Amino acid sequence: MKPFLFIVLFTLAIVSNAQQSKVAERTTPNFNVQVTQAVFLGKTKPVSELMRLKTTSEEKEAKLKAERKVPDNFVGRKKSKVVFPEREHQGADPLVQGGGGPSYVVEPTINIDGIGDFGSPHDPTGDIGLEHYVQAVNVTEVGVFNKDGVLLDQFAMSTLWADLGENSAGDPIVLYDETAARWLVTEFTDPANLLVAVSETSDPLGSYFAYSFATPQFPDYPKYSIWPEAYLLTTNESGGGAHTQYFIDRNAMLAGNNMVTIQRIEVEGNNNTEQGFFVSTPIDWDGTALPSMLPSVLSLDDSSWGNAPEDAVRIITFDVDFSNVNNTTVSEVSVVTTPYDSHPCSVSGFGFQCVPQQGGGGLDAIPETIMNVPKYRNFGTHESIVCCFVTDVTDGANLAGVRWMEMRREPAGEWYVYQEGTQTGADGYDRYMGAIAIDTDGNIGLGFTVSSENKRVSLRYTGRYANDPLGMMTVTEFEAVTGTTAIQSGGRYGDYAQMGVDPVDGNTFWFTSEYARAGGSGVGTRIVAFMLAQDTFDLALSHIISPVTAGSFTSTELLTIDVTNMGLEPMSNYTLSFTFQGVELESIVIPGPLNPGAVYTHTFTVPMDMIANGAYEITATVSHPDDTGEFNNTLSATIENLYSLDAAASFELGGVSCAPSITIPLIIFNQGAELLVNGNINIYINGTLSGTQPWTGSIAYGLQAIVNVTVTGLVDGNNDITLEFVNPNGSPDESPLDNAVTHSINAILDGVLVEILIHTDNYAEETTWNLEDEAGNEILSGGPY
């Protein structure tokens, strides 16, 4: 019989055999990788236009509503016993503030009711952009506010999906992608699907690129974060024993590409938690300084669960290679913390009841899970991660407080707990459902819920300044809104809150959560903004104006910077200095004065030799003896002197072909200063030039294009295929080492192509297949799905 080739989409599993991690040592955990794609639903009309057009009929809206199913929430959640009960209660929380430190009153700049009257849980989510605050709630409404707290527009998230054939279901998330100046909005759908859209511009009422992708099980409790290379998503799909993460190719999605690669990575969780709902939480990158860490998630590691000798936080880091899944790796560090009891539930009634409220019945506090959204910020001198979760502040009496912490890492160092504290009070109220963020000056804001048998469900916030005593929230708790009724929800509450920092001023915290509000469903949402007061004396390096990455630099380039007075008082006689390639070139005293809020633009006089092509490290510093805001005194940048013409090429190739010709998607990168508009693609088979394909287009610096290259004349057996991009804009490439790529493919020219497409029903886990030869020998198999 003829040989034949069988092709099928498959799952790639990569497993390492690491031993149990040691606390504070980096490990390689067991992990499993799967590859999938997001389906491009289309580019929507501007939301403002869709709202006017009312693109869905009343009949279609009624049908969509009728077909909406109750999600399969909280898979695996059940009561259980801890492995080491002697480690569960290790004394009263030693991090409870005892007073004696500074205390500040910070009133909100915005304090308004948000949208929604759905009932608990509202799943309130929201983020702050250049000009808008965008909030979303179940199931599923979006509110667009200006920065004065005025509701500009409100629309159903189904406005984005309905005419693209999809339907809203809930668990929305809204994030502002700061460096791209775009909005990310998402929710799940039934039976096992996620919808993701990114705005085309910074206008949340504009057009969106909309995508959908299926998941193996229902993607409960989806949480997202932003990283330079990927949108990171965590879900609860199979219970606490596995942490599920998805990595979505951010650049492809921002470009509105038809094909967006996703890698799904599972790592080990824990089935020994006390309440059974146990998920990882993605860390979200804030600020414009690029992160020094790779996309990461956090997970609690309570020693009573049996996997760690001391209470700790796991930082699980993912190095994802979208072009070659075999290169994807996972690493982990376990950061030891002060002992915590992550299950402070004093109410053990129906469902997920945990903490009390006035009026009877308990509410879910989402114990044992780090809350939405941990924040990462790169300060140059160090990196910071802030996070929070609920803990028992007593020795087993179950009074909930919010444990918060800042972890740090210096260059070439390891993560460690820089400071941690537990927010509680002498009032006996439970504090839970926290949200935390860190601003550009290192100040921390913390919002949370308070309730008790004598307290309606209310919202408060606190904070601390960067120079305050470590481990202390020094801002007096401010009650943004006081509850006025009892929440009737069978124990469901919140499911999460969210806090972000204004990307424009870098200092205003925006917090949203839900509370007990009389009337309607008995639950409302709140939006609160506050800023930790300015330091009296605070100078900041706010901008490197020039040079910026470009071509044709000289040997006499001059550095120009902006200095801003962020403080309350004028400042004089401050020092400006800068280093070039690690060597200080100039330091000068500026007499001033520089008034509060004013900007001084300074050009140094010592030139920099940047005539050679390549990257240059520049660091500028402002200093003054009275300056107390040290975190914004230094600004570093990598500036590149680009070649005028510098293209690069890349492609991937499958291992087998059944035909003498194939089509290869070649990626052309423009790494040069000139706009790339044409060139030639040389095609080699086994070292022999077999053809040349001309290319024309338009690729600006830092961008890429995909070109389909047809390769003909494959021979039976192994073929080494080389694609080389030459003659950019009709001239020689000035840096040609990355212009050619070679991959091998096995051609079976007398084979038969067999393709199987499997469309599963709602019970994909029941679907398997196998392929046998005539003798009954299994060749390939697949499933369950």
Side-chain angles (χ1 to χ4, degrees), residues 255-297:
N257 289 356
N258 286 328
M259 181 177 295
V260 174
T261 300
I262 299 173
Q263 289 190 17
R264 179 183 188 270
I265 305 179
E266 278 193 347
V267 298
E268 184 180 8
N270 196 317
N271 281 318
N272 299 324
T273 66
E274 201 164 345
Q275 57 98 34
F277 180 69
F278 186 53
V279 295
S280 59
T281 307
I283 305 170
D284 184 43
W285 161 48
D286 266 4
T288 56
L290 289 174
S292 296
M293 77 180 305
L294 293 166
S296 302
V297 301

Side-chain angles (χ1 to χ4, degrees), residues 526-549:
R526 199 76 172 179
I527 300 170
V528 184
F530 62 96
M531 176 187 287
L532 299 187
Q534 297 167 278
D535 292 331
T536 303
F537 300 103
D538 183 15
L539 291 172
L541 272 177
S542 50
H543 190 203
I544 292 180
I545 298 175
S546 65
V548 296
T549 292

Side-chain angles (χ1 to χ4, degrees), residues 78-95:
K78 59 186 182 301
K79 300 293 184 181
S80 61
K81 296 294 185 181
V82 297
V83 177
F84 294 105
E86 66 275 13
R87 298 178 184 171
E88 185 175 11
H89 310 305
Q90 302 181 52
D93 193 319
L95 299 180

Side-chain angles (χ1 to χ4, degrees), residues 1-5 748-752 773-774 779:
M1 60 179 293
K2 288 184 177 181
F4 66 94
L5 173 68
I748 304 175
L749 300 186
D750 59 350
V752 177
D773 63 17
E774 292 176 338
I779 300 172

Side-chain angles (χ1 to χ4, degrees), residues 734-756:
E734 297 173 67
S735 180
L737 295 180
D738 52 5
N739 287 41
V741 183
T742 302
H743 289 294
S744 297
I745 191 169
N746 183 28
I748 304 175
L749 300 186
D750 59 350
V752 177
L753 176 65
V754 178
E755 183 176 352
I756 293 179

